[in-house]
Amino acid sequence: MKRFFLSPGSLQGRRMVFTGPDARYISRSLRLKRGAEIVGFDGAGMEYTGTIAILSPRRVEAVISETSVSEELPSVRIALAQSLLKGRGLDGVLRQATELGISEFIPLATRYTIPRLYQEGEKRRQRWARIAADASRQSGRKINPVVHPVEQWKNFLARAQEYDLSLLPWEKEGEKSLKAVTARSAGGGVPARILVAIGPEGGFTESEAAEAVEAGFLAVSLGPRILRAATAGVAAVAYLQLALGDR
Ligand code: SAH
């Protein structure tokens, strides 16, 4: 059955209503017919099965026959804080990290983030939320990651206390590796909520790393090779999923 993301407002009483590109897609591209069953999901955990009752390229309405709570939350909930990247660099990271199952995405402004990007508005956040919703749909996720507004480093630090494990991959960390840290966790109680913060292209400064550790982050190495910032975010999430996440 085809699955569609329900934007706020698409749920009208016992009906799912699609307009704009969604309606065109359903009627023209998919050529679904009246009577066909579709599934809508709201990205917050609810799922609706409905039968198409009204069909035109402008408007599609489906009558809901069944409402259910979608998938269980993943066993490990990963929040990826990724420093802002040049251009649309963050888009790809968000998309791939969503496929890999992150629960939260926090765009981060650090010392070496390009200053022009400090003024990140609500519009940009909504664009990222759409990217996350789209990637969720493609990978069959029913709960979209929460996309936070851009956070400034100083405010971000306090988050360390909100998670069971807060990690700062830092290429200058010589002792602790992510591999060793997760191997230790995997044996005992697996942390349910993990925060992982990735620096920008220019990296974290020494003082940022020190502040993070002071705030409760654990600095870890991702291995002997330096990864580009975008690679590091995706690799860290993949690694955490493999080591601690869903089987
Ligand atoms: N400081 C470097 C590279 C920054 S890499 C430079 O001057 O170019 C961007 C970010 O990816 C880093 O801030 C860090 O969070 C992460 N990263 C990349 N490779 C890493 C590694 N081998 N170990 C831990 N973190 C790494």
Side-chain angles (χ1 to χ4, degrees):
M1 229 179 291
K2 278 284 167 190
R3 294 169 42 80
F4 300 93
F5 175 63
L6 295 170
S7 47
S10 322
L11 204 60
Q12 300 181 12
R14 289 192 48 250
R15 288 179 177 233
M16 295 183 269
V17 178
F18 303 93
T19 53
D22 278 346
R24 256 197 318 282
Y25 180 64
I26 293 171
S27 58
R28 289 265 164 85
S29 309
L30 296 175
R31 296 166 181 277
L32 291 180
K33 301 281 178 255
R34 228 168 272 132
E37 282 207 316
I38 58 172
V39 172
F41 64 101
D42 67 359
M46 293 306 291
E47 219 175 82
Y48 306 88
T49 307
T51 307
I52 296 178
I54 293 176
L55 184 81
S56 79
R58 291 250 178 90
R59 187 179 180 91
V60 174
E61 291 189 23
V63 178
I64 295 169
S65 53
E66 201 184 308
T67 300
S68 56
V69 178
S70 59
E71 82 191 347
E72 309 260 315
L73 290 174
S75 54
V76 173
R77 310 196 59 203
I78 302 170
L80 174 64
Q82 178 91 36
S83 301
L84 299 171
L85 299 173
K86 272 182 259 157
R88 304 212 146 166
L90 228 52
D91 296 8
V93 179
L94 172 56
R95 203 169 284 126
Q96 290 171 299
T98 300
E99 291 165 25
L100 288 165
I102 56 164
S103 299
E104 288 177 82
F105 185 73
I106 306 164
L108 192 59
T110 67
R111 173 81 196 284
Y112 287 153
T113 314
I114 317 253
R116 183 172 59 78
L117 293 175
Y118 274 55
Q119 280 91 42
E120 291 291 333
E122 175 57 16
K123 245 185 149 170
R124 186 99 187 232
R125 194 196 68 78
Q126 283 177 0
R127 200 174 141 265
W128 283 325
R130 276 198 302 277
I131 290 174
D134 201 47
S136 283
R137 184 177 52 77
Q138 283 190 357
S139 55
R141 284 183 61 165
K142 293 162 191 161
I143 302 179
N144 299 342
V146 173
V147 176
H148 293 268
V150 175
E151 280 185 22
Q152 301 294 326
W153 178 250
K154 291 276 186 240
N155 303 330
F156 169 74
L157 286 172
R159 279 190 177 269
Q161 303 302 326
E162 297 170 21
Y163 294 80
D164 302 319
L165 180 64
S166 296
L167 299 169
L168 185 90
W170 192 38
E171 63 283 2
K172 295 195 182 112
E173 171 57 43
E175 277 168 36
K176 287 180 265 43
S177 67
L178 181 59
K179 195 169 186 173
V181 168
T182 53
R184 256 199 321 277
S185 300
V190 171
R193 297 185 70 221
I194 302 177
L195 173 62
V196 54
I198 304 291
E201 283 101 340
F204 290 121
T205 63
E206 298 271 348
S207 62
E208 281 174 331
E211 283 164 4
V213 170
E214 170 91 359
F217 280 88
L218 195 61
V220 290
S221 153
L222 297 176
R225 292 158 297 271
I226 298 207
L227 307 171
R228 287 178 52 224
T231 311
V234 176
V237 174
Y239 195 83
L240 286 168
Q241 283 289 27
L242 182 64
L244 304 172
D246 24 47
R247 308 31 320 231

